[in-house]
Amino acid sequence: DAKTTQPPSMDCAEGRAANLPCNHSTISGNEYVYWYRQIHSQGPQYIIHGLKNNETNEMASLIITEDRKSSTLILPHATLRDTAVYYCIVRVDNAGNMLTFGGGTRLMVKP
Amino acid sequence: ETGVTQTPRHLVMGMTNKKSLKCEQHLGHNAMYWYKQSAKKPLELMFVYNFKEQTENNSVPSRFSPECPNSSHLFLHLHTLQPEDSALYLCASSQEQGQAYSPLHFGNGTRLTVT
């Protein structure tokens, strides 16, 4: 699996957009980008995924650069409940189920 | 409710004990996983089962023994553990059909303390 790099921590003001970057410069053409988050004392929660195109769902938006070497997860209006560790990982389709989680970004949403 | 239930939520065991962690998924998925999350370390994949067959064993010590009797249940049998095995053990499931995407659904984990 390709390796990802994320900043260890970020702050965001409540109500503002949180933009979480991820570098995956060794990503292969058939590898998808997935985002998960983990709130304290809970298991990771799936947020969104994408291959080439930008994606949006009820939780977030995912912007993937044209060269696919980086992506940004956008929480449009961050709330205190969005405080969590956010993981960006890549996965090959039809793969043997290997998902490697890195250190993630600890997002702190402040009032 | 994530659709993946793990029991117990907390477990304290001595190094000579034998215990088992249980995971049940109600999502109709065909793949199940065990992950270990130690304090201040990334999640580590331990075992993967696809269609009840173990397809991955990520160099896990033999004191951890997985069992997958059917596609809805997964166990992790523990014996003669060490204090450094204290961690949050997470179970996950997904639907593997060779599709382009298959997000993992995690349970809330079992917090294990080895004394």
Side-chain angles (χ1 to χ4, degrees):
Chain A
D1 285 347
K3 183 182 167 72
T4 61
T5 305
Q6 299 176 254
S9 64
M10 291 181 64
D11 290 344
C12 178
E14 187 179 18
R16 303 299 293 268
N19 298 292
L20 294 99
C22 179
N23 286 325
H24 31 79
S25 58
T26 61
I27 193 170
S28 300
N30 59 348
E31 287 188 307
Y32 281 71
V33 180
Y34 288 78
W35 283 82
Y36 291 80
R37 73 180 183 184
Q38 186 173 25
I39 296 170
H40 183 62
S41 298
Q42 296 182 22
Q45 175 192 24
Y46 165 75
I47 301 173
I48 199 168
H49 71 277
L51 181 63
K52 288 188 281 192
N53 300 321
N54 298 337
E55 303 287 345
T56 296
N57 63 20
E58 65 278 5
M59 290 182 69
S61 295
L62 174 60
I63 308 298
I64 302 174
T65 58
E66 192 169 343
D67 63 6
R68 302 205 333 114
K69 293 185 177 182
S70 66
S71 61
T72 301
L73 179 76
I74 301 173
L75 308 178
H77 305 287
T79 70
L80 299 179
R81 287 181 296 179
D82 292 321
T83 293
V85 178
Y86 287 77
Y87 298 101
C88 164
I89 60 177
V90 297
R91 180 174 187 180
V92 180
D93 62 339
N94 302 325
N97 309 302
M98 282 298 296
L99 287 179
T100 304
F101 286 73
T105 296
R106 183 171 297 277
L107 176 69
M108 180 71 71
V109 180
K110 298 183 175 180
Chain B
E1 179 58 52
T2 69
V4 180
T5 303
Q6 291 187 244
T7 55
R9 287 299 309 275
H10 301 272
L11 178 63
V12 179
M13 60 186 288
M15 290 189 285
T16 58
N17 291 157
K18 290 185 180 180
K19 296 286 185 183
S20 296
L21 310 184
K22 179 182 176 182
C23 176
E24 182 174 2
Q25 58 97 359
H26 311 276
L27 302 168
H29 290 165
N30 58 14
M32 297 187 77
Y33 311 73
W34 280 116
Y35 281 85
K36 175 185 178 182
Q37 188 171 35
S38 303
K40 301 187 178 176
K41 290 177 68 175
L43 278 83
E44 303 171 59
L45 179 64
M46 300 175 72
F47 300 104
V48 180
Y49 278 83
N50 265 325
F51 298 98
K52 302 186 298 177
E53 299 294 323
Q54 185 175 311
T55 58
E56 195 70 41
N57 174 344
N58 210 22
S59 303
V60 179
S62 59
R63 58 185 183 270
F64 295 91
S65 174
E67 179 190 1
C68 188
N70 54 61
S71 58
S72 298
H73 294 86
L74 185 65
F75 296 90
L76 187 63
H77 303 300
L78 316 170
H79 65 96
T80 59
L81 294 191
Q82 305 298 310
E84 59 265 28
D85 296 322
S86 299
L88 181 67
Y89 288 85
L90 290 157
C91 173
S93 71
S94 68
Q95 183 62 22
E96 299 299 319
Q97 292 179 328
Q99 292 180 7
Y101 60 90
S102 181
L104 294 176
H105 294 256
F106 284 86
N108 284 327
T110 294
R111 173 72 61 187
L112 174 67
T113 302
V114 181
T115 61

